[in-house]
Amino acid sequence: MPQPRHETTALSALVARVAEGGLSAGEAVGGALERLDAAEPDIRAWVRVDRDGALGAARRLDTAPPGGPGGLLRGVPFGVKDIIDVRGLPTECGSPLRRGRVAASDAPLVARLRELGAIPLGKTVTTEFAYFAPGPTRNPHHLAHTPGGSSSGSAAAVAAGVVPLALGSQTAGSLTRPAAYCGVAGFVAPVGGPLDTTGFAGLSHSLDAVGLLTPTVADLRLAYLALTGADRRPGPPEPPARPRLAVWPGTELAEVADTMRAALKHTADRAVADGAALVDVDWAARTPRLAEAHATVMAYEAARALATEATQPERLSAPLNELLARGRATTAADYRHALSVAERARTETLALLGDVDAVLGPAAPGPAPEGLTATGSPVLSRPWQLLGLPALTVPGHRDGRGMPLGLQLIGHPDRLERLFSLGHALEEAIGATGPV
């Protein structure tokens, strides 16, 4: 049976309590540290906890005069994936090759969160250089199951109720899959959008994207709006009027579990009952070539990004050595061809997303696999990450064992409010749905 999990406090609820004086920043951080101490022996989501730094930042907020520091996310404790720089803390990337490398400054995303009054609690576990070799983190819903790919520590920290917000990243399926496996909401920002990856240890410059993890889709929207300039708490998302969805089963790329197929069908049927229209697409003619091109681009760029590390193969995992060897063997012509495939397909897909509000599909082939030596397949994220499109993981479904089944929405980068609105509506519709 799934392990008991700690109650997750929604980001929006915490923001409201602090803003209204019902909770101090110190109490918010202290509560997070208590939950961390209770969960961490089982979950192992954190590689480093900055207790003194977090409590000190909270005290400064609580003792500041009116009009002092702090903004929309005042007092919110958050986790930071350990490929992202936090001033004064090591950025070790899950590798002994980076051990003890202390960041001199915050990544701009972390700096922006500090400006908003949020407080970094520490660094969360990542796989080695955000690739496949897993860290020690376990799935809060069942400790014998993987929490997913490289943003696993951030996803598990949110799912265990320790923090209501954590930073991650995605190059293949590094955020969507952990969000789906751990039963939380995830957002992969558009590549090249307003949330950039400066201060992140990169793996593939064409594919790397910022990721956010929160308990709910409404919380993702709140975090994104705050990061991009909102100066007050937004109202609830407006219900989408007669949305159009392209339902993508993903079966041309992966063996999708019956429970995941049932979750997708249930959600699509419910959307139709609520007024949505479904649009047919020939997916087999689109996604396999994109998944293949993604793998080519990722290998080629990773081999160059980690060229120095590749000179010490004995200190790298077998999966990472294999990726780098594949990248070194990839010709420049093959790389350019993969990029041209991406460019043409992005134009085609943006045209599709001009006609539909989102693509709705499985976020992973099924629930989190049993075992901690592998992180599951990222294949259902590869096509969309190649195109640099925003991806929203919508939680809510469970299988008969209580394991989460996440769905994903792929949207147009210029229509993010519509994407958040649709994701919120689907999450609300899924609601307390029983096992599928």
Side-chain angles (χ1 to χ4, degrees), residues 357-387:
D357 291 288
V359 174
L360 170 66
E370 188 169 2
L372 300 173
T373 59
T375 62
S377 172
V379 69
L380 296 183
S381 293
R382 286 187 185 273
W384 318 113
Q385 200 62 27
L386 177 73
L387 304 181

Side-chain angles (χ1 to χ4, degrees), residues 383-402:
W384 318 113
Q385 200 62 27
L386 177 73
L387 304 181
L389 298 176
L392 196 62
T393 306
V394 181
H397 284 296
R398 302 283 186 271
D399 70 6
R401 300 183 68 192

